Amino acid sequence: MIRRNLPFAAVAVAALVLAPLLLEPFRLGLLAKYLCYAIVALGIGLAWGKGGMLTLGQGVFFGLGGYAMAMYLKLAEAGPGGLPDFMVWSGVTELPALWAPFASPVLALAVAVLGPAALAALLGTLVFRQRVRGAYFAILTQALAAALVILLVGQQGLTGGTNGMTNFFELFGHDLAEDAAQRGLYLVTAGVLGVLYLAARQLAHSRFGRLLVAVRDGEDRVRFLGYDPALVKTVTFAISAGMAGLAGALFVPVVGIISPALLGVVPSLELVVAVAVGGRHVLAGAVLGAVVMGYAKTAFSERFADGWLYLQGALFILVMTLAPQGIAGLLARARSGGTRLGRVRRARTT
């Protein structure tokens, strides 16, 4: 068990200690953004990789968490009795009742996590009880993402419309433009990702995790054994949604913007692709895939402004062709091959 945890510990130490020392503030901020996506990918890995639920609408839960945090930041910036800047531009004269509770950071953070989890639990209860699965469930979550974007765009005075919310200057009294604040946000994001990864890994190796895999591989057989697959899937789906909501709450101060363009169908699909590239059956692979695809997107767009989308697509095709199980599967095969080679060498020497 200790040997299995050594790679994770090494990467965690490097991320927490070396990255802030070696990377300039702009690159460190980009890495923090990738880690926010990695938190969402971790939830997808748990729901899809372990539970077989292909969710194409994680952007919904990511967006709900992001907007909850953005509402708090805007109210804190406006001050008592003030209105967020975009409301003033939209002609709003009185703070909407929906906004008033988000003046509390504790409530805003609670809504960012528990709101998406509650919505996923409700959706899961309605859907999984009807034994909706596979492509039908995937299409349903995708439609939910599209519907949310339409709703947000249509509420200009309430959500900022197409532009969303931006211009966040302070968080708990700290200037977000300062390098120290950006380092602090990175460390918090990396720490949250590490804690959630360990919790998800513990869950995957628990009795509940084994039951989740059994539901993925044979839902009807699990039902015949007396278990409730709908409940298992609903709980897992809610956990993954809560992770996405927390990632959205971290994303807003890290990146400085939240808009419908960041949480629609396309961003949700990109996260699923990232999990597939990293390896959906391994939680660490989902995290790795999100970071790799995020870095590739930045690197390709900086060097090849006209064709970076083609290069990103080629990267996905290349990985899926050479390693259908993702990067994690490729590393596992390399490690297995190294172990067999070591056994052969030891056998020859004896």
Side-chain angles (χ1 to χ4, degrees):
M1 182 63 68
I2 295 179
R3 289 184 178 181
R4 291 181 180 179
N5 290 331
L6 283 178
F8 170 78
V11 172
V13 170
L16 288 173
V17 178
L18 297 181
L21 298 176
L22 299 178
L23 298 178
E24 60 185 31
F26 174 71
R27 297 296 172 183
L28 189 65
L30 287 177
L31 181 56
K33 181 175 74 170
Y34 305 154
L35 296 185
C36 291
Y37 289 139
I39 295 175
V40 186
L42 180 63
I44 295 176
L46 191 63
W48 182 31
K50 300 298 182 182
M53 294 171 283
L54 177 57
T55 170
L56 301 180
Q58 289 299 96
V60 172
F61 311 119
F62 180 82
L64 290 176
Y67 271 93
M69 178 56 69
M71 291 165 73
Y72 161 71
L73 293 177
K74 279 299 181 185
L75 289 177
E77 174 193 340
L83 290 176
D85 49 8
F86 72 90
M87 288 189 182
V88 176
W89 303 334
S90 302
V92 178
T93 58
E94 185 178 354
L95 186 70
L98 177 64
W99 274 69
F102 289 89
S104 168
V106 176
L107 180 61
L109 187 59
V111 171
V113 178
L114 299 180
L119 177 60
L122 176 61
L123 180 63
T125 301
L126 296 175
V127 171
F128 297 135
R129 292 294 177 187
Q130 301 300 320
R131 302 187 184 182
V132 176
R133 65 182 83 169
Y136 300 102
F137 173 73
I139 294 173
L140 182 62
T141 56
Q142 190 178 48
L144 183 63
L148 179 65
V149 170
I150 295 173
L151 176 64
L152 293 174
V153 170
Q155 301 296 320
Q156 175 70 36
L158 192 64
T159 65
T162 304
N163 296 324
M165 303 184 208
T166 185
N167 297 327
F168 306 112
F169 301 107
E170 288 188 358
L171 176 63
F172 303 138
H174 298 281
D175 187 354
L176 291 175
E178 294 182 353
D179 295 345
Q182 290 299 314
R183 284 195 297 270
L185 285 172
Y186 167 78
L187 292 175
V188 170
T189 304
V192 169
L193 173 59
V195 171
L196 290 179
Y197 171 78
L198 292 176
R201 190 172 182 275
Q202 182 64 31
L203 180 66
H205 287 82
S206 67
R207 181 181 177 183
F208 180 87
R210 293 191 293 271
L211 182 59
L212 178 63
V213 173
V215 170
R216 178 197 69 189
D217 295 338
E219 182 174 334
D220 293 331
R221 284 179 290 179
V222 172
R223 184 178 294 106
F224 293 151
L225 291 174
Y227 294 98
D228 185 1
L231 178 61
V232 175
K233 295 167 73 173
T234 299
V235 170
T236 306
F237 188 40
I239 292 174
S240 70
M243 289 183 179
L246 181 56
L250 293 170
F251 180 88
V252 169
V254 166
V255 180
I257 187 174
I258 187 68
S259 71
L262 296 171
L263 48 103
V265 173
V266 174
S268 299
L269 290 174
E270 288 180 346
L271 287 168
V272 172
V273 168
V275 172
V277 168
R280 69 183 180 98
H281 294 296
V282 182
L283 295 177
V287 173
L288 178 62
V291 175
V292 168
M293 292 300 287
Y295 173 78
K297 184 176 182 179
T298 300
F300 291 155
S301 61
E302 289 178 344
R303 292 171 175 79
F304 310 98
D306 296 331
W308 65 272
L309 281 173
Y310 299 103
L311 293 174
Q312 191 175 24
L315 175 62
F316 170 68
I317 294 173
L318 181 64
V319 172
M320 291 294 96
T321 301
L322 298 179
Q325 298 301 318
I327 298 175
L330 186 63
L331 295 176
R333 283 194 297 173
R335 184 168 60 248
S336 178
T339 302
R340 288 196 300 268
L341 182 60
R343 290 175 180 173
V344 170
R345 288 179 177 176
R346 287 195 298 269
R348 290 178 177 178
T349 56
T350 56

